[in-house]
Amino acid sequence: MPQLFLNETSCETTADPERVNHAMTDMVRAVLAVAREDRAGTLLVARLPVNAWHLAQGHAIQKWIGSPGTRDLWQRLAILQSKWPHRAAFPEGETHSDVEYRHDGDAVEGLGAAHLTGGLGISLPVEPRWDADRLTLVREELLDSAEGGSAVTEVEVGHAARREHVATHLPWIQRGANTVRQKAVEGLRSGTELWERCPELFPLLQFTPLAEQHFAELTEAWVRPVGERLGELQDAVSGWDPERQPIAPQWRSYVRTEFEMRRKLCWFPDTDGENRLFDWHCDFLPKPGRMHFRLVHEERTLRIAYVGRKLGV
C-alpha cells in the first residue's frame, strides 16, 4: 500500500500564485500516476484533510481548484483515501516523538513520517530542492541511555514531485500492489466475488456489460486462475505506451489473437451496444478456459468481453 506523505515544508513559500498552481498540478499528476498502479492501496497522508491544504503562504488549495484545467485533477485527487495528521499512519500507540528529520536545515515532518513508515514523500516542486525522486534527510533521534544525548544520521527517502519521478518507484509500487492483489484473489471462491473486486484489484482494465454474466458462471476451480490472468493483463497495460508499442503491450503470459477461422466466434456487444471483434485471448487452467478481449489504444487499456470455457468447445 503506497502511503504518500505531503511535505508541508514545500507549501510554505511565498511564490507567485501561477507558479504555485503549476507546481500543485505537477504534484497531483505524480499522485495520480501512483494511484494508476495501485488505486485501492494509494493513501494520502498530511497534517490536514486535503480540502484544507495551503499550498503557499496565503494560497489555499481552493485557489488551485478554481484555476483553469484543474477540475478533473481535483475530482480524482479528492476520491483518494486520506489520513491526517501524520501520526494516524503510525502503528497504534506509536508517536515517534523522539525523532526529528530535517532537510537543508528545515524540519520536514511529512518526509520524516514517510521514512519511518516506508512510504513516499510528495512535494510541490516550487523550489528546485524538491524536484527529485529521492531526498537525503538528516535524522536526529534521542538516545535512550543514562548519558542522554542524540544520534544524528543521514537517511534517504523515496520522493515524487512530478509524474516523471514516479517511474523510479514503479517496481516498489507494483510489488506492493501485486502482493495485496494476490492475497485477495487467493481468498475468493466464486466468480461473482471476483467480479465485485475487479474495480479495486484491476482498475486499469475495462469490461463489457455482459462480462458480469460470464464471471458469475465461473466454476470455483477457475476463480483463482482467472484472477491471476487479470493481474497479468493489468500489469501489461500499466506500462503500455501505444505510440511506442502500436501493436500490443508487452504481455506477462501467453496472449495472442484468434485464428482466422475462429474469429466468427469472437464478436460480442461492446460498451456502446455495437458488436465488435474481441479476438485477443489468453488461456487459464484447468483447460479449456479462455478470456477474450480487445485492445483500446486510445485509452491505453483493454476491454474484456468473455471469460469461461473455450468458445465452440
Coordinates of all heavy atoms in Angstrom, one line a residue, residues 1-5 27-45 76-83 120 122 166 170 172-174 176-177 180 200 203 234:
M1 N 0.8 -1.2 0.0 CA 0.0 0.0 0.0 C 0.9 1.2 0.0 O 1.6 1.5 1.0 CB -0.9 0.0 1.2 CG -1.8 1.2 1.3 SD -3.0 1.1 2.7 CE -1.9 1.3 4.1
P2 N 1.0 2.0 -1.1 CA 1.8 3.2 -1.1 C 1.2 4.4 -0.4 O 0.3 5.0 -0.8 CB 1.9 3.5 -2.6 CG 0.7 2.9 -3.2 CD 0.3 1.7 -2.4
Q3 N 1.7 4.6 0.8 CA 1.3 5.8 1.6 C 2.1 7.0 1.1 O 3.3 7.0 1.1 CB 1.5 5.6 3.1 CG 0.6 4.4 3.6 CD 0.6 4.4 5.1 OE1 -0.5 4.7 5.8 NE2 1.7 4.2 5.7
L4 N 1.4 8.0 0.7 CA 2.1 9.2 0.2 C 1.9 10.4 1.2 O 0.8 10.8 1.5 CB 1.4 9.7 -1.1 CG 1.3 8.6 -2.2 CD1 0.6 9.2 -3.4 CD2 2.6 8.0 -2.5
F5 N 3.1 10.8 1.7 CA 3.1 11.8 2.8 C 3.4 13.2 2.2 O 4.5 13.4 1.6 CB 4.1 11.5 3.9 CG 3.7 10.3 4.7 CD1 3.9 9.0 4.2 CD2 3.2 10.4 6.0 CE1 3.6 7.9 5.0 CE2 2.8 9.3 6.7 CZ 3.0 8.0 6.2
M27 N 2.4 18.0 -8.9 CA 2.4 17.1 -7.9 C 1.2 16.2 -7.9 O 1.3 14.9 -7.7 CB 2.4 17.8 -6.5 CG 2.7 16.8 -5.3 SD 2.5 17.6 -3.7 CE 0.7 17.8 -3.6
V28 N 0.0 16.7 -8.2 CA -1.2 15.9 -8.3 C -1.0 14.8 -9.4 O -1.5 13.7 -9.2 CB -2.4 16.8 -8.5 CG1 -3.7 15.9 -8.8 CG2 -2.7 17.6 -7.3
R29 N -0.4 15.2 -10.5 CA -0.2 14.2 -11.6 C 0.7 13.1 -11.1 O 0.5 11.9 -11.5 CB 0.3 14.9 -12.8 CG -0.7 15.7 -13.6 CD -0.2 16.5 -14.7 NE -1.2 17.1 -15.5 CZ -1.1 18.2 -16.3 NH1 0.1 18.8 -16.4 NH2 -2.1 18.7 -16.9
A30 N 1.7 13.4 -10.3 CA 2.5 12.4 -9.7 C 1.7 11.5 -8.8 O 1.8 10.2 -8.9 CB 3.7 13.0 -8.9
V31 N 0.8 12.0 -8.0 CA 0.0 11.2 -7.1 C -0.9 10.3 -7.9 O -1.1 9.1 -7.6 CB -0.9 12.1 -6.2 CG1 -1.9 11.3 -5.4 CG2 0.0 12.9 -5.2
L32 N -1.5 10.8 -8.9 CA -2.4 10.0 -9.8 C -1.6 9.0 -10.5 O -2.2 7.9 -10.8 CB -3.2 10.9 -10.7 CG -4.1 11.9 -10.0 CD1 -4.8 12.8 -11.1 CD2 -5.2 11.2 -9.2
A33 N -0.4 9.2 -10.9 CA 0.4 8.2 -11.5 C 0.7 7.0 -10.6 O 0.7 5.8 -11.0 CB 1.8 8.8 -12.0
V34 N 0.8 7.3 -9.3 CA 1.0 6.2 -8.3 C -0.4 5.5 -8.2 O -0.4 4.2 -8.2 CB 1.4 6.8 -6.9 CG1 1.3 5.7 -5.8 CG2 2.7 7.4 -7.0
A35 N -1.5 6.2 -8.1 CA -2.8 5.6 -7.9 C -3.1 4.8 -9.2 O -3.9 3.8 -9.0 CB -3.9 6.7 -7.7
R36 N -2.6 5.1 -10.3 CA -2.9 4.3 -11.5 C -2.4 2.9 -11.3 O -3.0 1.9 -11.8 CB -2.3 5.0 -12.7 CG -2.4 4.2 -14.0 CD -1.8 4.9 -15.2 NE -1.8 4.0 -16.4 CZ -2.8 3.8 -17.2 NH1 -3.9 4.4 -17.0 NH2 -2.7 3.0 -18.2
E37 N -1.2 2.8 -10.6 CA -0.7 1.4 -10.4 C -1.3 0.7 -9.3 O -1.4 -0.5 -9.3 CB 0.8 1.6 -10.1 CG 1.6 2.3 -11.2 CD 1.6 1.5 -12.5 OE1 1.6 0.3 -12.5 OE2 1.6 2.2 -13.6
D38 N -1.9 1.4 -8.3 CA -2.5 0.8 -7.1 C -3.5 1.7 -6.6 O -3.4 2.3 -5.5 CB -1.4 0.5 -6.1 CG -2.0 -0.4 -4.9 OD1 -3.1 -0.7 -4.9 OD2 -1.2 -0.6 -3.9
R39 N -4.7 1.7 -7.3 CA -5.7 2.7 -6.9 C -6.3 2.3 -5.5 O -6.6 3.2 -4.7 CB -6.9 2.7 -7.9 CG -7.9 3.7 -7.6 CD -8.9 3.8 -8.7 NE -9.7 2.6 -8.9 CZ -10.6 2.4 -9.8 NH1 -10.8 3.3 -10.8 NH2 -11.3 1.3 -9.9
A40 N -6.5 1.0 -5.2 CA -7.0 0.6 -3.9 C -6.1 0.9 -2.8 O -6.6 1.2 -1.7 CB -7.4 -0.9 -4.0
G41 N -4.8 0.8 -3.0 CA -3.9 1.0 -1.9 C -3.3 2.3 -1.7 O -2.7 2.6 -0.6
T42 N -3.5 3.2 -2.6 CA -2.9 4.6 -2.5 C -3.6 5.4 -1.4 O -4.8 5.6 -1.5 CB -2.9 5.3 -3.9 OG1 -2.2 4.5 -4.8 CG2 -2.3 6.7 -3.8
L43 N -2.8 5.9 -0.5 CA -3.3 6.6 0.6 C -2.5 7.9 0.8 O -1.3 8.0 0.8 CB -3.1 5.8 1.9 CG -3.8 6.3 3.2 CD1 -5.3 6.1 3.1 CD2 -3.3 5.4 4.3
L44 N -3.3 9.1 0.9 CA -2.7 10.4 1.1 C -2.6 10.6 2.6 O -3.6 10.4 3.3 CB -3.5 11.5 0.4 CG -3.3 11.6 -1.1 CD1 -4.4 12.7 -1.6 CD2 -1.9 12.1 -1.4
V45 N -1.5 11.1 3.1 CA -1.3 11.4 4.5 C -0.8 12.8 4.6 O 0.2 13.2 3.9 CB -0.4 10.4 5.2 CG1 -0.4 10.6 6.7 CG2 -0.7 9.0 4.9
R76 N -10.3 13.7 -9.1 CA -9.6 12.5 -8.9 C -8.8 12.4 -7.7 O -8.7 11.4 -7.0 CB -8.8 12.2 -10.2 CG -9.6 12.0 -11.4 CD -8.8 12.1 -12.7 NE -7.7 11.1 -12.8 CZ -6.7 11.1 -13.6 NH1 -6.6 12.2 -14.5 NH2 -5.8 10.2 -13.7
L77 N -8.2 13.6 -7.3 CA -7.5 13.6 -6.1 C -8.4 13.5 -4.8 O -8.0 12.8 -3.9 CB -6.7 15.0 -6.0 CG -5.8 15.2 -4.8 CD1 -4.6 14.3 -4.8 CD2 -5.4 16.6 -4.6
A78 N -9.5 14.1 -4.9 CA -10.4 14.1 -3.7 C -11.0 12.7 -3.4 O -11.3 12.5 -2.2 CB -11.6 15.1 -4.0
I79 N -11.0 11.8 -4.3 CA -11.6 10.5 -4.0 C -10.6 9.5 -3.5 O -10.9 8.4 -3.1 CB -12.3 9.9 -5.3 CG1 -11.3 9.6 -6.4 CG2 -13.4 10.8 -5.8 CD1 -11.9 8.9 -7.6
L80 N -9.3 9.9 -3.5 CA -8.3 9.0 -2.9 C -8.5 9.0 -1.4 O -8.9 9.9 -0.8 CB -6.9 9.5 -3.2 CG -6.5 9.4 -4.7 CD1 -5.1 10.0 -4.9 CD2 -6.5 7.9 -5.1
Q81 N -8.2 7.8 -0.8 CA -8.2 7.7 0.6 C -7.2 8.6 1.2 O -6.2 8.9 0.7 CB -7.8 6.2 1.0 CG -8.7 5.2 0.4 CD -8.1 3.8 0.7 OE1 -7.6 3.5 1.8 NE2 -8.2 2.9 -0.3
S82 N -7.5 9.1 2.4 CA -6.6 10.0 3.1 C -6.6 9.8 4.6 O -7.6 9.4 5.2 CB -6.9 11.5 2.7 OG -8.2 11.8 3.1
K83 N -5.5 10.2 5.2 CA -5.4 10.2 6.7 C -4.8 11.5 7.2 O -4.0 12.1 6.4 CB -4.5 9.0 7.2 CG -5.1 7.6 7.1 CD -4.1 6.6 7.7 CE -4.7 5.3 7.8 NZ -3.7 4.3 8.4
L120 N 6.2 7.1 0.8 CA 6.8 8.0 -0.3 C 6.4 9.5 0.0 O 5.3 9.8 0.3 CB 6.2 7.6 -1.6 CG 6.9 8.2 -2.9 CD1 8.3 7.5 -3.1 CD2 6.0 7.9 -4.1
I122 N 5.8 13.4 -0.9 CA 5.4 14.2 -2.1 C 5.5 15.6 -1.8 O 5.2 16.1 -0.6 CB 3.9 13.8 -2.5 CG1 3.0 14.0 -1.4 CG2 3.9 12.4 -3.1 CD1 1.5 13.9 -1.8
V166 N 7.8 9.3 -10.6 CA 7.2 8.1 -10.2 C 7.8 6.8 -10.9 O 7.8 5.7 -10.3 CB 5.7 8.1 -10.5 CG1 5.0 6.8 -10.1 CG2 5.0 9.3 -9.7
L170 N 8.2 2.7 -9.6 CA 7.2 1.7 -10.1 C 7.4 0.3 -9.6 O 6.5 -0.4 -9.2 CB 7.2 1.8 -11.6 CG 6.4 3.0 -12.2 CD1 6.4 2.9 -13.8 CD2 5.0 3.0 -11.7
W172 N 8.6 -0.8 -6.9 CA 8.2 -0.9 -5.5 C 6.7 -0.8 -5.4 O 6.1 -1.6 -4.6 CB 8.9 0.2 -4.7 CG 8.3 0.5 -3.3 CD1 8.4 -0.3 -2.2 CD2 7.4 1.6 -2.9 NE1 7.8 0.2 -1.1 CE2 7.1 1.4 -1.5 CE3 6.9 2.7 -3.6 CZ2 6.3 2.3 -0.8 CZ3 6.2 3.6 -2.9 CH2 5.9 3.4 -1.5
I173 N 6.1 0.1 -6.1 CA 4.6 0.2 -6.1 C 4.0 -1.1 -6.6 O 3.0 -1.6 -6.0 CB 4.2 1.4 -6.9 CG1 4.7 2.7 -6.3 CG2 2.6 1.5 -7.0 CD1 4.6 3.9 -7.3
Q174 N 4.5 -1.6 -7.7 CA 3.9 -2.8 -8.3 C 4.0 -4.0 -7.4 O 3.1 -4.8 -7.3 CB 4.4 -3.0 -9.7 CG 4.0 -1.9 -10.7 CD 4.8 -2.0 -12.0 OE1 5.8 -2.7 -12.1 NE2 4.3 -1.2 -13.0
G176 N 4.1 -4.1 -4.1 CA 3.1 -4.0 -3.1 C 1.7 -4.3 -3.6 O 1.0 -5.0 -2.9
A177 N 1.4 -3.7 -4.7 CA 0.1 -3.9 -5.3 C -0.1 -5.4 -5.6 O -1.2 -6.0 -5.4 CB -0.1 -3.1 -6.5
V180 N -0.8 -7.5 -2.4 CA -2.1 -7.4 -1.9 C -3.1 -8.0 -2.8 O -4.1 -8.7 -2.4 CB -2.4 -5.9 -1.8 CG1 -3.9 -5.6 -1.4 CG2 -1.5 -5.2 -0.7
E200 N -11.5 -2.7 -7.9 CA -10.5 -2.4 -6.9 C -9.1 -3.1 -7.2 O -8.1 -2.4 -7.1 CB -11.0 -3.0 -5.5 CG -9.9 -3.0 -4.4 CD -10.4 -3.8 -3.2 OE1 -11.6 -4.2 -3.1 OE2 -9.5 -4.1 -2.4
P203 N -7.9 -1.9 -11.6 CA -8.5 -0.6 -12.0 C -8.2 -0.2 -13.4 O -9.0 0.6 -14.0 CB -8.0 0.3 -11.0 CG -6.7 -0.3 -10.6 CD -6.9 -1.7 -10.5
Q234 N -3.4 -6.5 -16.2 CA -3.3 -5.2 -15.5 C -1.9 -4.7 -15.6 O -1.6 -3.6 -15.9 CB -3.8 -5.4 -14.1 CG -3.3 -4.3 -13.1 CD -4.3 -3.1 -13.0 OE1 -5.4 -3.2 -13.5 NE2 -3.8 -2.1 -12.3

